[in-house]
Amino acid sequence: MINKVEMMGDIERVLFSAEQIQERVKEVGAQISKDYYGKNPVVVGILKGVVPFYAAMTQAITIPLEEDFMCVSSYEGTESTGKIILRKDVDVSLRDRHVLILEDILDSGRTLKAIIEMMKTQKPASVKICTLFDKPEGRKIPLEADYVCYDVPNEFVVGYGLDYDGYYRNLPFVGVLKPSVYQD
Ligand code: IMP
Ligand code: MG
């Protein structure tokens, strides 16, 4: 566990403010509302990193939807282990439902690939991905999101839900973490 007294000194530079994210979320939410009109989707958030994005995006979507969550862990430090552990499954049945996954960041693609495979055993009508951030250079397996708010460079970013070792999720902006924080 990190024993922290402050967070700002660990940030190399700020990439997006909460206000900027909010504006972009409104645009993507409007598109999703059109695409899913009449489909009553189940919007599944991937805990815990999705929490601020989930709150913003579900409110930007103007059509009826059901909310649910899954929790998986795959990450230790800044390197993906490739191993996905299911910690909490969805509560509603996904059978014949249109499922929209909300995720904080798509990096190697392994987490979402594993999640989609687990969901498909329930025979949903469709499964699509909406991610706040996409790191296209991090991809290890071929997987693309259907809705991307922003592309980010291949650096470790924190804030607005995104963590390093459990910390920084509560920063009200997204920034690049100083490499010295995780290299020490
Ligand atoms: P993937 O399986 O490599 O696509 O990793 C996706 C997961 O890794 C996300 O849900 C995040 O929890 C975590 N992750 C990947 N890149 C970052 C980052 O830059 N900052 C914080 N978490 C990240
Ligand atoms: Mg994480």
Side-chain angles (χ1 to χ4, degrees), residues 46-47 49 72 74-75 77-78 80 84 103-113 135 138-140 143 152-153 155-158 162-164 169:
I46 310 304
L47 296 171
V72 297
S74 62
Y75 239 62
T78 61
S80 180
I84 312 295
E103 170 68 309
D104 54 1
I105 187 164
L106 173 56
D107 184 15
S108 73
R110 289 192 188 106
T111 307
L112 281 175
K113 176 91 193 310
K135 239 188 225 182
R139 208 74 88 250
K140 296 280 194 294
L143 184 79
V152 288
E155 293 174 285
F156 204 77
V157 296
V158 293
L162 290 149
D163 74 304
Y164 169 66
R169 293 192 200 276

Side-chain angles (χ1 to χ4, degrees), residues 4 59-60 64 66 74 80 90 93 96 101 134 145 147 177 180:
K4 288 216 158 288
Q59 289 183 27
E66 259 188 282
S74 62
S80 180
V90 285
S93 168
D96 299 328
I101 301 172
D134 188 3
Y147 305 94
L177 194 62
S180 58

Side-chain angles (χ1 to χ4, degrees), residues 5 9 13 24 27 32 37 46-47 65-66 68 71 74 82 87 89 92 94-95 115 120 147 154 170-171 176:
V5 290
R13 63 186 195 280
R24 177 69 184 134
E27 289 176 12
I32 290 171
Y37 187 81
I46 310 304
L47 296 171
L65 55 84
E66 259 188 282
D68 211 335
C71 186
S74 62
R87 300 204 181 270
D89 205 347
V92 301
L94 302 182
R95 186 164 183 113
I115 286 170
K120 285 201 166 155
Y147 305 94
N154 204 7
N170 58 323
L171 285 174
V176 175

Side-chain angles (χ1 to χ4, degrees), residues 131-142:
T131 188
L132 174 57
F133 298 118
D134 188 3
K135 239 188 225 182
E137 289 168 58
R139 208 74 88 250
K140 296 280 194 294
I141 56 163

